[in-house]
Amino acid sequence: MCIGKNIKNARKNKGFTQKQLGEKLGVSASMIAQYETGTRKPKSDTLKKIATALGVNSSSLYAVPNSFKMELVEKFDSELEIEFKEKIFHNYRKLNPIGRDKLAEYAEDLTKIPEYKKDFQEKPE
């Protein structure tokens, strides 16, 4: 499911019209329509504002299935460089649902290996 459809579904679940959501964000209803149809893609800070206005987690608006670890998406927003995100998502898009689940499992497994952790310091010999 794409971001636009996720925005539309969340908006409808909240009972908002495009105009009402636009008013909450200070943009026009046509801008909301463009986001929902995929004509325009909201920047990540705009997506966070949309999520806040709709009372949902911003990661739920991303175009990834629930099986993909949402905490990774949150990390992508705050910590990882754009080039790395593009590389990961480029490969992610090539995978079928089983492969995508495996990718999430491998990423989780890597976080359990001390030398791959962010705070790892090699011990002197």
Side-chain angles (χ1 to χ4, degrees), residues 47-60:
L47 200 59
K48 287 177 185 177
K49 290 176 185 175
I50 292 169
T52 299
L54 296 173
V56 298
N57 187 318
S58 62
S59 63
S60 70

Side-chain angles (χ1 to χ4, degrees), residues 5-89:
K5 287 181 182 177
N6 292 339
I7 293 171
K8 184 176 183 176
N9 288 340
R11 176 181 58 79
K12 287 188 170 199
N13 287 339
K14 189 73 172 181
F16 287 171
T17 65
Q18 290 176 339
K19 182 178 179 182
Q20 289 170 320
L21 179 57
E23 287 171 354
K24 283 193 161 289
L25 300 172
V27 300
S28 66
S30 64
M31 178 67 77
I32 301 300
Q34 289 174 26
Y35 290 152
E36 291 182 357
T37 61
T39 306
R40 293 186 75 152
K41 183 179 176 190
K43 294 179 182 176
S44 70
D45 61 323
T46 303
L47 200 59
K48 287 177 185 177
K49 290 176 185 175
I50 292 169
T52 299
L54 296 173
V56 298
N57 187 318
S58 62
S59 63
S60 70
L61 298 178
Y62 283 92
V64 294
N66 289 336
S67 61
F68 188 77
K69 300 293 184 179
M70 290 302 154
E71 49 281 2
L72 290 178
V73 175
E74 290 294 321
K75 278 193 171 201
F76 281 14
D77 271 350
S78 61
E79 297 177 14
L80 300 178
E81 298 174 10
I82 291 172
E83 290 176 31
F84 182 72
K85 290 183 209 178
E86 290 173 354
K87 184 177 179 181
I88 292 294
F89 279 115

Side-chain angles (χ1 to χ4, degrees), residues 97-112:
I98 295 169
R100 290 175 178 186
D101 285 342
K102 282 292 180 193
L103 176 62
E105 287 175 25
Y106 294 153
E108 189 173 337
D109 288 346
L110 286 173
T111 67
K112 296 173 185 172

